[in-house]
């Protein structure tokens, strides 16, 4: 099943709101709130709020982009977020509910950013510069990856 942050956002947010704070991941070490905050961080990367450098060789970025954005490959389970050193970050928000609310606002900011900057290509640290439609592909696959992590696909 696909996840669609662009055309079915209410359904995406409703699914996230159905997540219990005590839910256990099928894979990985994130708690539900860590996962939501992590998704929010990637939305911020894509809406012009933060500029990140490319963290891999350009040829590796191209290859990853071809697999994930241009191809059918999902985001692999067990992939480690660059710079995470396999440890959970300190939570930024007081509750899971607040984290979901912030994520929802971040998605609205993503929309607004590309309405006002249609030719922008914010940097993805592993895949290079992505345009609006490429970011949507990435976010949909990324959200799906984490929905699978917490069995949210319905």
């Amino acid at each position: 099943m696909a996840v669609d942050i662009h055309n079915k956002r209410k359904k995406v947010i409703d699914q996230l709101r159905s997540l219990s704070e005590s839910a256990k991941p099928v894979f990985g070490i994130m708690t539900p709130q860590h996962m939501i905050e992590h998704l929010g961080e990637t939305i911020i990367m894509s809406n012009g709020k933060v500029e990140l450098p490319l963290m891999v060789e350009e040829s590796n970025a191209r290859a990853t982009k071809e697999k994930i954005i241009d191809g059918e490959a999902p985001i692999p389970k067990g992939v480690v977020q660059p710079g995470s050193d396999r440890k959970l970050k300190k939570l930024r928000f007081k509750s899971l509910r607040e984290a979901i609310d912030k994520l929802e606002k971040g998605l609205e900011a993503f929309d607004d950013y590309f309405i006002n900057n249609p030719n922008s290509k914010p940097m993805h640290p592993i895949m290079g510069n992505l345009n609006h439609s490429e970011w949507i592909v990435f976010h949909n696959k990324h959200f799906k990856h984490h929905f699978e992590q917490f069995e949210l696909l319905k």
Side-chain angles (χ1 to χ4, degrees), residues 67-132:
K67 283 194 300 192
I68 302 293
I69 303 300
D70 302 328
E72 297 297 318
I75 294 176
K77 289 175 177 62
V79 69
V80 178
Q81 181 181 2
S84 73
D85 66 0
R86 296 189 185 269
K87 293 180 184 169
L88 292 174
K89 290 182 175 183
K90 184 177 181 213
L91 293 171
R92 296 178 309 159
F93 302 115
K94 293 178 185 170
S95 68
L96 178 62
R97 175 71 182 204
E98 181 182 357
I100 294 169
D101 291 345
K102 296 289 185 182
L103 175 62
E104 187 173 25
K105 287 188 182 351
L107 287 165
E108 292 166 5
F110 170 76
D111 294 338
D112 292 343
Y113 177 75
F114 278 102
I115 287 169
N116 295 313
N117 303 279
N119 298 318
S120 184
K121 292 178 141 189
M123 177 68 69
H124 184 288
I126 305 300
M127 290 187 276
N129 296 97
L130 303 179
N131 64 30
H132 181 245

Coordinates of all heavy atoms in Angstrom, one line a residue, residues 67-132:
K67 N 17.9 4.8 -7.6 CA 17.2 3.7 -7.1 C 15.9 4.1 -6.3 O 14.9 3.5 -6.5 CB 18.1 2.9 -6.1 CG 19.2 2.1 -6.7 CD 19.8 1.1 -5.7 CE 20.5 1.8 -4.6 NZ 21.3 0.9 -3.8
I68 N 16.1 5.1 -5.5 CA 14.9 5.5 -4.6 C 13.9 6.4 -5.3 O 12.7 6.2 -5.3 CB 15.5 6.2 -3.3 CG1 16.4 5.3 -2.6 CG2 14.3 6.7 -2.5 CD1 15.8 4.1 -2.0
I69 N 14.4 7.5 -6.0 CA 13.5 8.4 -6.6 C 13.0 8.0 -8.0 O 11.8 8.0 -8.3 CB 14.2 9.8 -6.7 CG1 14.6 10.3 -5.3 CG2 13.2 10.9 -7.3 CD1 13.5 10.4 -4.2
D70 N 14.0 7.6 -8.8 CA 13.6 7.3 -10.2 C 13.2 5.8 -10.3 O 12.6 5.4 -11.3 CB 14.8 7.5 -11.1 CG 15.3 9.0 -11.1 OD1 14.4 9.9 -10.8 OD2 16.5 9.3 -11.2
G71 N 13.6 5.0 -9.4 CA 13.2 3.6 -9.5 C 12.2 3.1 -8.5 O 11.5 4.0 -7.9
E72 N 12.0 1.9 -8.4 CA 11.0 1.3 -7.5 C 11.5 0.9 -6.1 O 10.7 0.4 -5.3 CB 10.4 0.1 -8.2 CG 9.7 0.4 -9.5 CD 8.5 1.4 -9.4 OE1 7.7 1.2 -8.4 OE2 8.4 2.3 -10.2
A73 N 12.8 1.1 -5.9 CA 13.3 0.6 -4.6 C 12.7 1.3 -3.4 O 12.6 2.5 -3.4 CB 14.8 0.8 -4.6
P74 N 12.4 0.5 -2.4 CA 11.9 1.2 -1.1 C 13.1 1.6 -0.3 O 14.3 1.3 -0.6 CB 11.2 0.0 -0.4 CG 12.0 -1.2 -0.9 CD 12.3 -0.9 -2.3
I75 N 12.9 2.4 0.7 CA 14.0 2.7 1.6 C 14.3 1.4 2.4 O 13.3 0.8 3.0 CB 13.6 3.9 2.5 CG1 13.4 5.1 1.7 CG2 14.6 4.1 3.7 CD1 12.9 6.3 2.4
P76 N 15.5 1.0 2.4 CA 15.8 -0.3 3.1 C 15.6 -0.3 4.6 O 15.9 0.7 5.3 CB 17.3 -0.5 2.7 CG 17.8 0.6 2.0 CD 16.7 1.6 1.8
K77 N 15.1 -1.4 5.1 CA 15.0 -1.5 6.6 C 16.5 -1.6 7.1 O 17.3 -2.2 6.5 CB 14.2 -2.8 6.9 CG 12.8 -2.6 6.6 CD 12.0 -3.9 6.9 CE 10.5 -3.8 6.6 NZ 10.2 -3.4 5.3
G78 N 16.7 -1.0 8.3 CA 18.0 -1.1 8.9 C 19.0 0.0 8.4 O 20.1 0.1 8.9
V79 N 18.5 0.9 7.5 CA 19.4 2.0 7.1 C 19.6 2.9 8.3 O 18.7 3.1 9.1 CB 18.8 2.7 5.9 CG1 17.5 3.5 6.3 CG2 19.8 3.7 5.3
V80 N 20.8 3.4 8.5 CA 21.1 4.3 9.6 C 21.2 5.7 9.1 O 21.8 6.0 8.1 CB 22.5 3.8 10.2 CG1 22.8 4.8 11.4 CG2 22.4 2.4 10.7
Q81 N 20.5 6.6 9.8 CA 20.5 8.0 9.5 C 21.9 8.5 9.7 O 22.5 8.3 10.8 CB 19.5 8.7 10.4 CG 19.4 10.2 10.2 CD 18.4 10.9 11.2 OE1 17.9 10.2 12.0 NE2 18.3 12.1 11.0
P82 N 22.4 9.2 8.7 CA 23.8 9.8 8.8 C 23.9 10.6 10.1 O 23.0 11.4 10.4 CB 23.9 10.6 7.6 CG 22.9 10.1 6.6 CD 21.8 9.6 7.4
G83 N 25.0 10.4 10.8 CA 25.3 11.2 12.0 C 24.5 10.8 13.3 O 24.7 11.3 14.3
S84 N 23.8 9.7 13.2 CA 23.0 9.3 14.3 C 23.8 8.4 15.3 O 23.4 8.2 16.4 CB 21.7 8.5 13.9 OG 22.1 7.2 13.4
D85 N 24.8 7.8 14.8 CA 25.7 6.8 15.6 C 24.8 5.8 16.3 O 25.1 5.3 17.4 CB 26.7 7.5 16.5 CG 26.1 8.3 17.7 OD1 24.9 8.4 17.8 OD2 26.9 8.9 18.4
R86 N 23.7 5.4 15.7 CA 22.8 4.4 16.1 C 22.2 4.6 17.5 O 21.9 3.7 18.3 CB 23.5 3.0 16.1 CG 23.8 2.6 14.7 CD 24.3 1.2 14.6 NE 24.8 0.8 13.3 CZ 24.0 0.2 12.4 NH1 22.7 0.0 12.6 NH2 24.5 -0.1 11.2
K87 N 22.1 5.9 17.9 CA 21.5 6.2 19.2 C 20.3 7.1 19.0 O 20.3 7.9 18.0 CB 22.5 6.9 20.1 CG 23.7 6.1 20.5 CD 24.7 6.9 21.4 CE 25.9 6.0 21.7 NZ 26.9 6.8 22.3
L88 N 19.3 7.0 19.9 CA 18.2 7.8 19.8 C 18.5 9.3 20.2 O 19.2 9.5 21.2 CB 17.1 7.3 20.7 CG 16.4 6.0 20.3 CD1 15.5 5.5 21.3 CD2 15.7 6.1 18.9
K89 N 18.0 10.2 19.5 CA 18.2 11.6 19.8 C 17.3 12.0 21.0 O 16.3 11.3 21.2 CB 17.8 12.5 18.6 CG 18.7 12.5 17.5 CD 18.2 13.4 16.4 CE 19.2 13.5 15.2 NZ 18.7 14.4 14.2
K90 N 17.6 13.1 21.7 CA 16.8 13.6 22.7 C 15.5 14.1 22.1 O 15.5 14.8 21.0 CB 17.5 14.7 23.5 CG 16.7 15.3 24.6 CD 17.5 16.3 25.3 CE 16.7 16.8 26.5 NZ 16.8 18.2 26.8
L91 N 14.4 13.8 22.7 CA 13.1 14.3 22.1 C 13.0 15.8 22.3 O 13.4 16.3 23.3 CB 11.9 13.6 22.9 CG 11.8 12.1 22.6 CD1 10.7 11.5 23.5 CD2 11.4 11.8 21.2
R92 N 12.4 16.4 21.2 CA 12.3 17.9 21.2 C 10.9 18.3 21.7 O 10.8 19.4 22.2 CB 12.5 18.4 19.8 CG 13.9 18.1 19.3 CD 14.0 18.6 17.8 NE 13.0 18.1 17.0 CZ 12.6 18.7 15.9 NH1 13.1 19.7 15.4 NH2 11.6 18.1 15.2
F93 N 9.9 17.5 21.6 CA 8.6 17.9 22.0 C 8.1 17.2 23.2 O 8.6 16.1 23.5 CB 7.6 17.7 20.8 CG 8.1 18.4 19.5 CD1 8.5 17.7 18.4 CD2 8.1 19.8 19.5 CE1 8.9 18.4 17.3 CE2 8.5 20.5 18.4 CZ 8.9 19.7 17.3
K94 N 7.1 17.7 23.9 CA 6.6 17.2 25.2 C 5.8 15.9 25.0 O 5.7 15.2 26.0 CB 5.8 18.3 25.9 CG 6.6 19.5 26.3 CD 5.7 20.5 27.0 CE 6.6 21.7 27.3 NZ 5.8 22.9 27.7
S95 N 5.2 15.7 23.8 CA 4.3 14.6 23.7 C 4.3 14.1 22.2 O 4.7 14.9 21.3 CB 2.9 14.9 24.1 OG 2.4 15.9 23.2
L96 N 3.8 12.9 22.0 CA 3.6 12.4 20.7 C 2.6 13.3 19.9 O 2.8 13.6 18.8 CB 3.1 11.0 20.8 CG 2.7 10.3 19.5 CD1 4.0 10.1 18.6 CD2 2.1 8.9 19.8
R97 N 1.5 13.7 20.6 CA 0.5 14.6 20.0 C 1.2 15.9 19.5 O 0.9 16.3 18.3 CB -0.6 14.9 21.0 CG -1.6 15.8 20.6 CD -2.5 15.2 19.5 NE -3.5 16.1 19.0 CZ -4.6 15.8 18.5 NH1 -4.9 14.5 18.4 NH2 -5.4 16.7 18.1
E98 N 2.0 16.5 20.3 CA 2.6 17.8 19.9 C 3.6 17.5 18.7 O 3.6 18.3 17.8 CB 3.5 18.4 21.0 CG 4.1 19.7 20.7 CD 5.0 20.3 21.8 OE1 5.0 19.7 22.9 OE2 5.6 21.3 21.5
A99 N 4.3 16.4 18.7 CA 5.2 16.0 17.6 C 4.4 15.9 16.3 O 4.8 16.3 15.2 CB 6.0 14.8 17.9
I100 N 3.2 15.2 16.4 CA 2.4 15.1 15.2 C 1.8 16.4 14.7 O 1.8 16.7 13.5 CB 1.2 14.1 15.4 CG1 1.8 12.7 15.7 CG2 0.2 14.0 14.3 CD1 0.8 11.7 16.2
D101 N 1.4 17.3 15.6 CA 1.0 18.6 15.2 C 2.1 19.4 14.5 O 1.8 20.0 13.5 CB 0.5 19.4 16.5 CG -0.8 18.8 17.1 OD1 -1.5 18.0 16.4 OD2 -1.1 19.2 18.3
K102 N 3.3 19.3 15.0 CA 4.4 20.0 14.4 C 4.7 19.4 13.0 O 5.1 20.1 12.1 CB 5.7 19.9 15.3 CG 5.5 20.6 16.6 CD 5.5 22.1 16.5 CE 5.5 22.8 17.8 NZ 5.4 24.2 17.8
L103 N 4.6 18.1 12.9 CA 4.8 17.4 11.6 C 3.8 17.9 10.6 O 4.1 18.2 9.5 CB 4.8 15.9 11.8 CG 4.9 15.1 10.5 CD1 6.2 15.3 9.8 CD2 4.6 13.6 10.8
E104 N 2.6 18.0 11.0 CA 1.5 18.5 10.2 C 1.8 19.9 9.7 O 1.6 20.2 8.5 CB 0.1 18.4 10.9 CG -1.0 18.7 10.0 CD -2.4 18.4 10.6 OE1 -2.5 18.4 11.9 OE2 -3.3 18.2 9.9
K105 N 2.2 20.8 10.6 CA 2.5 22.2 10.2 C 3.8 22.2 9.3 O 3.8 23.0 8.4 CB 2.8 23.0 11.5 CG 1.5 23.3 12.2 CD 1.8 24.3 13.4 CE 0.6 24.6 14.2 NZ -0.7 24.2 13.8
G106 N 4.7 21.3 9.5 CA 5.9 21.2 8.6 C 5.4 20.8 7.2 O 6.0 21.3 6.2
L107 N 4.5 19.9 7.1 CA 4.0 19.5 5.8 C 3.3 20.7 5.1 O 3.5 20.9 3.9 CB 3.0 18.3 5.9 CG 3.7 17.0 6.2 CD1 2.7 16.0 6.6 CD2 4.5 16.5 4.9
E108 N 2.6 21.5 5.8 CA 2.0 22.7 5.3 C 3.1 23.7 4.8 O 3.0 24.4 3.8 CB 1.1 23.4 6.3 CG -0.2 22.6 6.6 CD -1.0 23.0 7.8 OE1 -0.6 24.0 8.5 OE2 -1.9 22.3 8.2
A109 N 4.1 23.9 5.6 CA 5.3 24.7 5.3 C 6.0 24.2 4.0 O 6.4 25.0 3.2 CB 6.2 24.8 6.4
F110 N 6.0 22.9 3.9 CA 6.6 22.3 2.6 C 5.8 22.7 1.4 O 6.3 23.2 0.4 CB 6.6 20.8 2.8 CG 6.9 20.0 1.6 CD1 8.2 19.9 1.1 CD2 5.9 19.3 0.9 CE1 8.6 19.1 0.0 CE2 6.2 18.6 -0.3 CZ 7.5 18.5 -0.7
D111 N 4.5 22.6 1.5 CA 3.6 23.1 0.4 C 3.8 24.5 0.1 O 4.0 24.9 -1.0 CB 2.1 22.9 0.8 CG 1.7 21.4 0.9 OD1 2.4 20.5 0.4 OD2 0.7 21.2 1.6
D112 N 3.8 25.4 1.1 CA 4.0 26.8 1.0 C 5.3 27.1 0.3 O 5.4 28.0 -0.5 CB 3.8 27.6 2.3 CG 2.4 27.5 2.9 OD1 1.5 27.2 2.1 OD2 2.3 27.8 4.1
Y113 N 6.4 26.5 0.8 CA 7.7 26.7 0.3 C 7.8 26.5 -1.2 O 8.3 27.4 -2.0 CB 8.7 25.8 1.0 CG 10.1 26.0 0.4 CD1 10.9 27.1 0.7 CD2 10.7 25.1 -0.4 CE1 12.1 27.3 0.2 CE2 11.9 25.3 -1.0 CZ 12.7 26.4 -0.6 OH 13.9 26.6 -1.2
F114 N 7.2 25.4 -1.7 CA 7.3 25.1 -3.1 C 6.3 25.9 -3.9 O 6.5 26.2 -5.1 CB 7.2 23.6 -3.4 CG 8.5 22.9 -3.2 CD1 8.8 22.2 -2.1 CD2 9.5 23.1 -4.2 CE1 10.0 21.6 -1.9 CE2 10.8 22.5 -4.0 CZ 11.0 21.7 -2.8
I115 N 5.2 26.4 -3.3 CA 4.3 27.4 -4.0 C 5.1 28.7 -4.3 O 5.0 29.2 -5.4 CB 3.1 27.7 -3.2 CG1 2.1 26.4 -3.2 CG2 2.3 28.9 -3.7 CD1 1.0 26.5 -2.3
N116 N 5.9 29.1 -3.3 CA 6.6 30.3 -3.4 C 8.0 30.2 -4.1 O 8.6 31.2 -4.5 CB 6.8 31.0 -2.1 CG 5.5 31.4 -1.5 OD1 4.7 32.0 -2.1 ND2 5.2 31.0 -0.2
N117 N 8.5 28.9 -4.2 CA 9.8 28.7 -4.8 C 9.7 27.4 -5.6 O 10.4 26.4 -5.4 CB 10.8 28.4 -3.6 CG 10.9 29.5 -2.7 OD1 11.6 30.5 -2.9 ND2 10.2 29.4 -1.5
P118 N 9.0 27.5 -6.7 CA 8.7 26.3 -7.5 C 9.9 25.7 -8.2 O 9.9 24.5 -8.5 CB 7.7 26.8 -8.6 CG 7.9 28.2 -8.6 CD 8.3 28.7 -7.3
N119 N 11.0 26.4 -8.4 CA 12.2 25.9 -9.0 C 13.3 25.5 -8.0 O 14.4 25.1 -8.4 CB 12.7 26.9 -10.0 CG 11.7 27.1 -11.1 OD1 11.1 26.2 -11.6 ND2 11.5 28.4 -11.5
S120 N 12.9 25.6 -6.7 CA 13.9 25.2 -5.7 C 14.3 23.8 -5.7 O 13.4 22.9 -6.1 CB 13.4 25.7 -4.4 OG 14.4 25.4 -3.4
K121 N 15.5 23.5 -5.3 CA 16.0 22.1 -5.2 C 16.8 21.9 -3.9 O 18.0 21.8 -4.0 CB 16.8 21.7 -6.4 CG 16.0 21.6 -7.7 CD 17.0 21.3 -8.8 CE 16.4 20.3 -9.8 NZ 17.3 19.8 -10.8
P122 N 16.1 21.9 -2.8 CA 16.8 21.7 -1.5 C 17.6 20.4 -1.5 O 17.3 19.4 -2.1 CB 15.7 21.6 -0.5 CG 14.5 22.3 -1.1 CD 14.6 22.0 -2.6
M123 N 18.7 20.5 -0.8 CA 19.7 19.4 -0.7 C 19.2 18.2 0.2 O 18.8 18.5 1.3 CB 21.0 19.9 -0.2 CG 22.1 18.8 0.0 SD 22.7 18.1 -1.5 CE 23.6 19.5 -2.1
H124 N 19.2 17.0 -0.3 CA 19.0 15.8 0.5 C 20.4 15.3 0.7 O 21.2 15.2 -0.2 CB 18.2 14.8 -0.2 CG 17.9 13.6 0.6 ND1 18.9 12.7 0.9 CD2 16.8 13.2 1.2 CE1 18.4 11.7 1.7 NE2 17.1 12.0 1.9
P125 N 20.8 15.1 2.0 CA 22.3 14.8 2.2 C 22.8 13.5 1.7 O 24.0 13.4 1.5 CB 22.3 14.8 3.8 CG 20.9 14.7 4.2 CD 20.0 15.2 3.2
I126 N 21.9 12.6 1.2 CA 22.3 11.4 0.7 C 22.0 11.3 -0.8 O 22.6 10.5 -1.5 CB 21.6 10.2 1.4 CG1 21.9 10.3 2.9 CG2 22.1 8.8 0.9 CD1 23.3 10.2 3.3
M127 N 21.1 12.1 -1.3 CA 20.7 12.0 -2.8 C 20.9 13.2 -3.6 O 20.6 13.2 -4.8 CB 19.2 11.6 -2.8 CG 18.9 10.1 -2.4 SD 17.3 9.6 -2.7 CE 16.5 10.2 -1.2
G128 N 21.4 14.3 -2.9 CA 21.7 15.5 -3.7 C 20.4 16.4 -3.7 O 19.4 16.2 -3.0
N129 N 20.5 17.4 -4.6 CA 19.4 18.3 -4.8 C 18.2 17.6 -5.4 O 18.3 16.9 -6.4 CB 19.8 19.5 -5.6 CG 20.9 20.3 -5.0 OD1 22.1 20.0 -5.3 ND2 20.6 21.1 -4.1
L130 N 17.0 17.9 -4.8 CA 15.8 17.3 -5.2 C 14.7 18.4 -5.5 O 14.6 19.4 -4.7 CB 15.2 16.3 -4.2 CG 16.0 15.2 -3.7 CD1 15.3 14.3 -2.7 CD2 16.4 14.3 -4.9
N131 N 14.0 18.3 -6.6 CA 12.9 19.2 -6.8 C 11.6 18.8 -6.1 O 11.6 17.8 -5.4 CB 12.7 19.4 -8.3 CG 12.2 18.1 -9.0 OD1 11.5 17.3 -8.4 ND2 12.5 18.0 -10.3
H132 N 10.6 19.6 -6.2 CA 9.4 19.3 -5.5 C 8.8 17.9 -5.7 O 8.6 17.2 -4.7 CB 8.3 20.4 -5.9 CG 7.0 20.2 -5.2 ND1 5.8 19.9 -5.8 CD2 6.7 20.3 -3.8 CE1 4.9 19.8 -4.9 NE2 5.3 20.0 -3.7

